[in-house]
Amino acid sequence: MGTSDYVLIFFKIVGSLALLIYGMKVMSEALQKMAGSQLRHILGAMTTNRFTGMLTGTFITCAVQSSSATTVMTVSFVNAGLLTLAQAISVIMGANIGTTLTAWIMSLGYSVDLTEFVFPAFLVGIVLIYTRRFRYVGDFLFGISFLFFSLVLLSGAGKALDLEHNPSVIHFFETFDMNSYLTIFTFLLIGTVITCVVQSSAAVMAITIMLCSSGVLPIYLGIALVMGENIGTTATANLAALGANTQARRTALAHLVFNVIGVVWVLLVFYPFVRTVCGFVNYDPDANALSTKELALRLPIILAAFHTSFNVLNTGILIWFIPQIEKLVCWLIKPGKVDAEDDFRLRFIQTGIMRTPELSVLEAQKEIESFAERIQRMFSMVPDLMKETDDAKFVKLYSRIEKYEGISDNMEIEIAKYLDEVGRAHLSDDTKLKIRAMLREISEIESIGDSCFNMARTISRLHQSKEDFTAQQYGHIHQMMQLTNDALTQMNTLFAGHREELDANLSFNIENEINNFRNQLRTQNINDINNHLYTYSVGTMYMDLIQECEKLGDYVVNVVEARMGVRQHVG
């Protein structure tokens, strides 16, 4: 073959790998859309101990066909405080088992001619995509068809290269001593580096299968590449954790430690272990007496079997040492500087590339819950400000409320930007509705912050005027603020639970109480001013506080309605 032929085949291989990565992405996202929020609930609920955590990681990775999605999601859950470090380690162990299904799918693509399946699947997929009810099934069919089609193209490119009859290639691999640990370690490093660069263990696995199937790459070296892929794939979670908190970075590092420990112990028993796996399909790795056709059938299965055996055994051993792994990563990554309560910092949303937009909605929802809790904390400062008589302490507390108002504005902007970024992805209708509701929630919560600051400014005016409310006015303000705080507490209770299990009527009842009390106090205020019980300016400031509480109650109800998915509140 000439140079132009090799260039053409090279681009065919690169294009096939690009198609494979895209197919995996489409298939994974389609599965996530079909699964919906169930994946988030499962990961949050089914991690009561190390074994359920491991099974959860396995199940989710099998479901979404992406260990990267599971590990990135797990890191974000730890960042959000939804999972402990120990729970997360068990989930990641399960993800390593779940990802072995991908290798079996690929071995099927190499062992069976799937051309007859692929084209009808494309046809059915495009029909389903244009139906409303089954479009995600259509996306899935397209994704898996792209995956299998890329494997067919890759296999064809491998055959076109005719590597098994290329003396220079054969000689190159023959220069490596199969019985040398240095050779095995070299190919392990190559597999690690390539996987880190391309950020897809599936693509590297496909190349490994292609080379082994041609008979050029000995099975020992192919398995060394697979071991390297296990280490290289941890780069995804570590990159995702760069902007996260200490525990999330420890989780990502635990993924690396887990795989490195597994590779180390397998290296110690490498040759007996490989021979045992090869024995499953009656293949002698040292004899290599099979024809190219037989190699193409058996070696993909051996690679998939090794991948599965390695991850299952590694998890079976290391699951008993989770506390020790936890201690190790805690020792390697020291606690960072603790953020002050009054500092602006998004706790749950991570910056950077979002690999799983469907699952990113959970991060945003948890951030909104944190936003709502912070706003209630801000409101609790208002009664304290009203009681404060010392000028220096008054100014300090007022400044703190003012700072919280700035934090509130920043949180609304940052969460909205994040939701806008998530919303640009190809999402399910249910997720699109959630994003709309969440945008409304943050707008109303920010308005609550504005009301709190407005009350603080009114109290500041009263403080500077040297006038004061009467004991009866203080009593009424205290009652109104207590009702308002009850409304905020109920709002945060609704955020903490599952929407299907919640009842918004309590929030509506509190708002009715606030409205009725406001109307009663407004009438009484006019009478008290006419009876000269206090000045008009004091009465105005008094009603400003009462009216602001009532407005705040309206904002709370609007948040609750957005959360519960009911019509917009009026009045």
Side-chain angles (χ1 to χ4, degrees):
M1 286 193 296
T3 305
S4 59
D5 293 322
Y6 281 115
V7 170
L8 190 64
I9 293 171
F10 169 76
F11 280 114
K12 188 174 181 181
I13 290 171
V14 172
S16 300
L17 290 174
L19 193 61
L20 182 143
I21 293 169
Y22 178 71
M24 289 289 294
K25 178 177 180 291
V26 171
M27 183 175 69
S28 175
E29 289 184 357
L31 286 164
Q32 289 175 46
K33 288 168 193 169
M34 285 190 279
S37 60
Q38 282 83 354
L39 290 180
R40 300 192 287 268
H41 296 324
I42 288 168
L43 190 53
M46 288 181 60
T47 51
T48 51
N49 59 57
R50 67 184 77 180
F51 299 104
T52 56
M54 182 266 291
L55 290 171
T56 302
T58 303
F59 169 76
I60 290 180
T61 306
C62 287
V64 301
Q65 275 303 290
S66 172
S67 61
S68 294
T70 306
T71 51
V72 169
M73 179 170 50
T74 304
V75 167
S76 65
F77 267 53
V78 174
N79 191 51
L82 295 173
L83 289 179
T84 65
L85 179 55
Q87 288 172 326
I89 293 171
S90 68
V91 172
I92 285 172
M93 287 180 174
N96 273 34
I97 295 175
T99 196
T100 61
L101 181 61
T102 306
W104 285 106
I105 291 173
M106 295 180 118
S107 70
L108 175 67
Y110 269 91
S111 304
V112 181
D113 184 6
L114 295 166
T115 311
E116 295 178 2
F117 158 80
V118 166
F119 294 109
F122 275 129
L123 177 61
V124 174
I126 197 67
V127 171
L128 293 177
I129 284 171
Y130 283 98
T131 65
R132 183 175 182 82
R133 187 174 177 185
F134 297 107
R135 65 186 180 282
Y136 304 133
V137 178
D139 283 340
F140 169 75
L141 274 177
F142 248 69
I144 199 166
S145 298
F146 276 133
L147 169 62
F148 284 140
F149 188 51
S150 69
L151 293 175
V152 170
L153 293 175
L154 207 54
S155 177
K159 289 173 184 173
L161 279 174
D162 197 26
L163 294 175
E164 64 268 28
H165 297 118
N166 189 316
S168 58
V169 175
I170 294 169
H171 176 70
F172 171 76
F173 284 110
E174 283 178 347
T175 59
F176 293 99
D177 182 4
M178 296 303 107
N179 297 311
S180 168
Y181 270 97
L182 179 61
T183 300
I184 301 303
F185 190 70
T186 301
F187 274 79
L188 187 150
L189 285 178
I190 292 170
T192 302
V193 172
I194 294 174
T195 309
C196 285
V197 171
V198 302
Q199 283 289 289
S200 173
S201 58
V204 184
M205 175 66 84
I207 286 289
T208 306
I209 291 174
M210 184 189 80
L211 291 173
C212 285
S213 299
S214 67
V216 173
L217 184 68
I219 191 65
Y220 289 124
L221 302 188
I223 284 175
L225 286 176
V226 171
M227 289 164 64
E229 290 157 19
N230 267 274
I231 297 175
T233 195
T234 63
T236 304
N238 281 280
L239 287 172
L242 286 178
N245 62 23
T246 302
Q247 287 294 84
R249 282 184 283 117
R250 286 171 175 168
T251 303
L253 181 61
H255 189 202
L256 175 61
V257 168
F258 168 72
N259 280 355
V260 168
I261 291 172
V263 166
V264 168
W265 75 254
V266 168
L267 281 174
L268 296 176
V269 292
F270 183 74
Y271 292 101
F273 190 75
V274 172
R275 291 188 191 104
T276 302
V277 173
C278 290
F280 295 157
V281 291
N282 195 27
Y283 173 71
D284 184 354
D286 300 308
N288 197 22
L290 298 179
S291 67
T292 303
K293 187 175 181 181
E294 289 173 314
L295 286 174
L297 287 172
R298 291 195 189 183
L299 291 195
I301 295 171
I302 291 170
L303 288 170
F306 172 82
H307 197 219
T308 303
S309 302
F310 166 69
N311 282 297
V312 169
L313 279 172
N314 195 33
T315 298
I317 294 168
L318 293 184
I319 199 167
W320 303 102
F321 296 95
I322 286 176
Q324 287 74 23
I325 295 173
E326 185 178 9
K327 285 178 184 175
L328 175 61
V329 295
C330 288
W331 177 74
L332 290 171
I333 298 181
K334 307 297 184 199
K337 176 179 172 285
V338 179
D339 296 297
E341 188 183 77
D342 292 353
D343 286 345
F344 169 64
R345 177 180 177 273
L346 295 178
R347 293 173 56 203
F348 305 119
I349 287 175
Q350 296 181 79
T351 56
I353 300 169
M354 292 175 301
R355 295 179 174 273
T356 53
E358 287 284 327
L359 301 169
S360 299
V361 173
L362 175 73
E363 292 181 350
Q365 187 61 56
K366 293 303 296 181
E367 198 66 68
I368 292 171
E369 290 175 33
S370 172
F371 189 11
E373 289 168 6
R374 194 185 285 255
I375 283 295
Q376 186 168 13
R377 200 157 58 238
M378 179 184 181
F379 177 77
S380 69
M381 298 175 201
V382 176
D384 293 339
L385 185 70
M386 197 161 55
K387 296 173 193 171
E388 192 56 68
T389 54
D390 182 271
D391 286 346
K393 290 180 179 178
F394 184 92
V395 170
K396 185 178 180 181
L397 187 53
Y398 179 83
S399 298
R400 192 179 179 208
I401 294 171
E402 188 174 25
K403 184 176 182 180
Y404 262 66
E405 204 275 331
I407 290 171
S408 166
D409 292 341
N410 287 332
M411 287 192 77
E412 181 195 18
I413 291 166
E414 291 302 316
I415 296 171
K417 278 166 61 179
Y418 182 77
L419 287 172
D420 180 59
E421 194 175 348
V422 174
R424 290 177 188 173
H426 183 50
L427 303 170
S428 64
D429 288 342
D430 183 50
T431 303
K432 287 176 184 175
L433 288 173
K434 284 178 185 171
I435 288 175
R436 267 190 234 119
M438 290 157 77
L439 286 167
R440 183 181 162 204
E441 286 168 18
I442 59 171
S443 174
E444 300 292 347
I445 292 171
E446 193 278 331
S447 296
I448 294 172
D450 289 341
S451 284
C452 293
F453 186 52
N454 288 340
M455 283 189 268
R457 287 195 293 189
T458 300
I459 294 167
S460 180
R461 285 206 326 268
L462 177 74
H463 186 79
Q464 291 167 6
S465 71
K466 303 303 179 184
E467 293 186 279
D468 204 0
F469 296 137
T470 65
Q472 187 183 49
Q473 283 178 312
Y474 272 118
H476 291 154
I477 292 170
H478 176 74
Q479 282 179 263
M480 179 61 94
M481 286 188 172
Q482 185 58 54
L483 281 171
T484 308
N485 191 59
D486 290 345
L488 287 165
T489 301
Q490 181 60 18
M491 178 185 77
N492 282 313
T493 301
L494 291 174
F495 269 125
H498 296 308
R499 188 171 64 182
E500 300 79 13
E501 302 165 2
L502 302 173
D503 182 9
N505 286 327
L506 186 54
S507 292
F508 299 147
N509 293 339
I510 294 171
E511 193 221 4
N512 286 333
E513 284 187 64
I514 291 173
N515 288 343
N516 293 335
F517 195 39
R518 185 273 315 264
N519 294 338
Q520 176 190 329
L521 295 180
R522 186 163 54 191
T523 303
Q524 187 177 345
N525 179 59
I526 295 170
N527 294 332
D528 288 345
I529 291 173
N530 289 334
N531 293 330
H532 306 291
L533 297 180
Y534 42 79
T535 65
Y536 183 82
S537 63
V538 168
T540 301
M541 288 184 278
Y542 166 63
M543 282 312 299
D544 282 348
L545 290 176
I546 299 299
Q547 293 276 23
E548 209 62 61
C549 283
E550 192 277 330
K551 279 202 290 184
L552 195 155
D554 284 343
Y555 297 140
V556 168
V557 169
N558 289 340
V559 173
V560 169
E561 288 179 339
R563 168 78 174 123
M564 302 299 289
V566 296
R567 67 176 181 79
Q568 186 159 357
H569 173 69
V570 181

